[in-house]
Amino acid sequence: MPNRKHVFTRTLMISTAAMLIGVSAFSAQAETRVTYKSASAGTAYYQMGVELSEAIRRGTDGDIVLTLEESQGSVQNVMEVMARQGNYVFTTPPGLVDQAMAGEGPFAERQSPRFQEIRGLFPIPAITMHFVAAGDEGVIGLEDLEGKHVLIGRGTFGAREAERYLELFDMLDKVRVANAEIGSGPDALKNGQIDAFVTASSYPTPNVIETAASMPVSLVSLSDEQIEQTGAARQTIPAGTYAGVDQDVHTTSLPVIAYTTTGMDDETAYTLTKTFWERRDAMAEETAWWGSITHDMIGNIAGTLHPGAVRYYDEAGIEIPDELR
């Protein structure tokens, strides 16, 4: 006959193990996983994704986990709405959402009813145009790029915008455009293979910080008239943002928004939005670009907000345009 003490001990161990398995299963079930489609590794927007992922983890005590995915650009991020299910968050300028919903631009040949399911959450730092040239002048004019070998990249917003500006100001035939990806810009500038590169990212952007720390660089500052001609939003990069650039740099920027789809449930959208705004100041203490985010920037969102995000804004007393509801 088995010893009662042994039977009790064994029963207790089995019960405890079962309880632990149950707790683990419950924890795994309670954890909400969100895919966050960002940008190319090494860019400021990818770094923002890393920072936002950590902020959400801390702000929700690990209840929401953002899995960061690299991307080749905003068009790809929007295109993937066609195939993605559930908790998909992606970043893009609002103009691309307008184009996707209207079946225009890069979406003209690839239209989908899924694009109508896109919903806004919150703004993130704007894309800022940087024209970075070798030299210790600090600040130069666009005309100073004449005769230079310039890398603008290809297929990205920054590349398209740089080409538009060069054409707009009759500079396209006065520079030699390098045939290379923008990621190779900093190394190519350091090695003397090019004279300048263009990058579009929030300031301070890591690839410009790194380049300015290792060699003298200058940034192109546009005149008021030039900024007006571009039709883009004015952006000032404060003096001292980059080593050796001791004057304000006047350039342009484009709003960027974190979007999801109606596939995300209201509670998750509410918690993501709430946590973002509650952690914004803490993120800004770690990295300056988060400090540029204001409630006014919600008005830049194209389409409509996710109902979960609307709930948070209403609860927090944050005014949002009626057309976003």
Side-chain angles (χ1 to χ4, degrees), residues 13-28:
M13 288 172 65
I14 291 170
S15 300
T16 303
M19 184 178 71
L20 288 171
I21 289 168
V23 169
S24 297
F26 177 78
S27 297

Side-chain angles (χ1 to χ4, degrees), residues 73-91:
S74 298
V75 171
Q76 179 193 351
N77 294 357
V78 180
M79 285 289 189
E80 290 199 13
V81 166
M82 292 190 288
R84 295 284 185 160
Q85 303 294 325
N87 296 325
Y88 176 55
V89 174
F90 61 98
T91 60

Side-chain angles (χ1 to χ4, degrees), residues 84-307:
R84 295 284 185 160
Q85 303 294 325
N87 296 325
Y88 176 55
V89 174
F90 61 98
T91 60
T92 184
L96 283 180
V97 170
D98 279 335
Q99 287 185 322
M101 288 181 164
E104 297 172 351
F107 309 96
E109 303 300 321
R110 296 190 65 188
Q111 298 182 36
S112 169
R114 292 292 307 278
F115 293 142
Q116 306 307 318
E117 299 171 11
I118 295 171
R119 298 291 183 270
L121 292 173
F122 48 79
I124 64 172
I127 293 174
T128 301
M129 291 296 292
H130 292 69
F131 288 77
V132 186
D136 59 6
E137 296 91 341
V139 171
I140 60 174
L142 193 66
E143 63 280 1
D144 293 319
L145 295 181
E146 187 172 337
K148 305 291 186 184
H149 193 192
V150 183
L151 194 161
I152 66 173
R154 48 183 175 236
T156 64
F157 165 78
R160 292 190 296 273
E161 196 74 342
E163 186 173 11
R164 184 171 77 86
Y165 288 14
L166 291 173
E167 190 170 2
L168 182 63
F169 301 118
D170 298 321
M171 289 289 295
L172 200 53
D173 295 332
K174 298 175 183 175
V175 300
R176 186 157 58 100
V177 176
N179 183 25
E181 298 292 343
I182 190 57
S184 60
D187 284 339
L189 192 70
K190 291 177 205 171
N191 297 334
Q193 296 168 291
I194 58 172
D195 302 305
F197 69 88
V198 181
T199 185
S201 191
S202 289
Y203 73 86
T205 181
N207 56 358
V208 181
I209 291 173
E210 176 197 337
T211 307
S214 60
M215 65 176 289
V217 300
S218 299
L219 264 61
V220 167
S221 188
L222 302 174
S223 68
D224 292 344
E225 186 182 354
Q226 286 173 326
I227 291 171
E228 190 175 342
Q229 281 182 263
T230 67
R234 181 188 183 90
Q235 180 74 63
T236 299
I237 302 173
T241 298
Y242 301 111
V245 183
D246 300 323
Q247 300 174 52
D248 286 351
V249 174
H250 304 296
T251 182
T252 59
S253 68
L254 182 72
V256 181
I257 306 296
Y259 285 95
T260 187
T261 69
T262 54
M264 177 177 284
D265 66 84
D266 289 2
E267 192 61 33
T268 301
Y270 168 82
T271 304
L272 279 174
T273 307
K274 180 176 188 287
T275 307
F276 168 77
W277 287 104
E278 289 181 348
R279 298 290 305 177
R280 176 194 54 176
D281 291 345
M283 288 193 289
E285 287 177 13
E286 296 290 328
T287 315
W289 50 48
W290 295 108
S292 67
I293 301 295
T294 64
H295 293 152
D296 291 345
M297 295 168 74
I298 297 167
N300 293 326
I301 294 175
T304 57
L305 287 162
H306 193 289

